[in-house]
Amino acid sequence: MSTSDSRAASGTTTSPEATTKLPSFEDGAEGGTTASSEQSIGSGKGSASKGASRSPKKTTTSSPAAEAEKRGPRRVRLTLARLDPFSVMKLSFLVAIALGIATVVAVILTWNLVDAIGLWDKVDQLGRDLNGGSPLPFMEFFQFSKMVSYGTIVAVVNVVIITALGTLLAFLYNLVAALLGGLKLTFTDE
């Protein structure tokens, strides 16, 4: 029967403090309890009733900027334990698209630059001189439209390869992180 039931059964009411007294085993008072050595629950050295906690006592300062200046930057240590393969696939796809566009633009700019300095004409003239006046057969592969087509094909293949490799690396990272605990990172708020 609990203490509240026994109070109700006996008809007497006692204060809640009277039911929460515990014996104190300080100063060699082992085994016996005396009225002077009893303490109520919640009144000990580390109790929550006195506001004890694991953090140091907070003090008020005049300004938050002065407090932050005294304290310095905060540091947080985090562990990158898992990469979501689907989000890595989306990100690697977008990066691959950007690299593919950059590849096609670089091919166009490079061909126009080589054409502007007259290198195609000089190579063609050198080929005609070495081939007895007829053009070299491989010079038709260096036309503008064919070069842009080659650049586009390379860009599309790169999109597929980069997306697949990014997703595969995410799966491999998850396996390694499961075994070794992941990548430990420290962040500051400087």
Side-chain angles (χ1 to χ4, degrees):
M1 199 185 279
S2 70
T3 22
S4 61
D5 292 339
S6 64
R7 280 185 280 160
S10 65
T12 61
T13 59
T14 58
S15 69
E17 266 185 28
T19 60
T20 59
K21 298 288 185 180
L22 294 176
S24 173
F25 294 105
E26 295 177 359
D27 299 329
E30 297 174 10
T33 60
T34 60
S36 63
S37 67
E38 289 183 351
Q39 294 179 333
S40 65
I41 294 177
S43 64
K45 287 183 180 178
S47 70
S49 66
K50 290 188 178 182
S53 68
R54 293 182 183 189
S55 62
K57 193 172 193 179
K58 295 181 181 174
T59 59
T60 58
T61 59
S62 59
S63 70
E67 181 180 325
E69 188 176 307
K70 255 194 270 183
R71 211 176 23 178
R74 291 183 295 175
R75 291 180 154 195
V76 178
R77 282 190 56 113
L78 298 174
T79 301
L80 183 60
R82 185 176 183 281
L83 293 174
D84 183 30
F86 184 66
S87 66
V88 171
M89 183 187 72
K90 290 188 294 185
L91 182 65
S92 62
F93 177 73
L94 289 177
V95 169
I97 291 288
L99 288 175
I101 292 170
T103 301
V104 172
V105 169
V107 166
I108 291 171
L109 291 177
T110 303
W111 193 92
N112 284 329
L113 179 68
V114 169
D115 189 45
I117 63 173
L119 189 60
W120 294 129
D121 294 332
K122 289 180 183 178
V123 169
D124 186 45
Q125 184 61 38
L126 179 64
R128 284 178 191 268
D129 290 343
L130 294 174
N131 201 20
S134 62
L136 293 175
F138 67 86
M139 283 306 288
E140 65 186 36
F141 294 113
F142 293 107
Q143 294 174 355
F144 178 74
S145 59
K146 290 190 178 185
M147 291 297 284
V148 172
S149 298
Y150 302 149
T152 305
I153 291 170
V154 167
V156 169
V157 169
N158 277 342
V159 166
V160 173
I161 290 173
I162 290 172
T163 304
L165 281 178
T167 309
L168 179 66
L169 289 176
F171 279 114
L172 289 175
Y173 179 81
N174 289 340
L175 288 173
V176 170
L179 293 172
L180 301 177
L183 186 65
K184 307 247 186 274
L185 303 169
T186 301
F187 294 97
T188 62
D189 63 350
E190 292 181 325

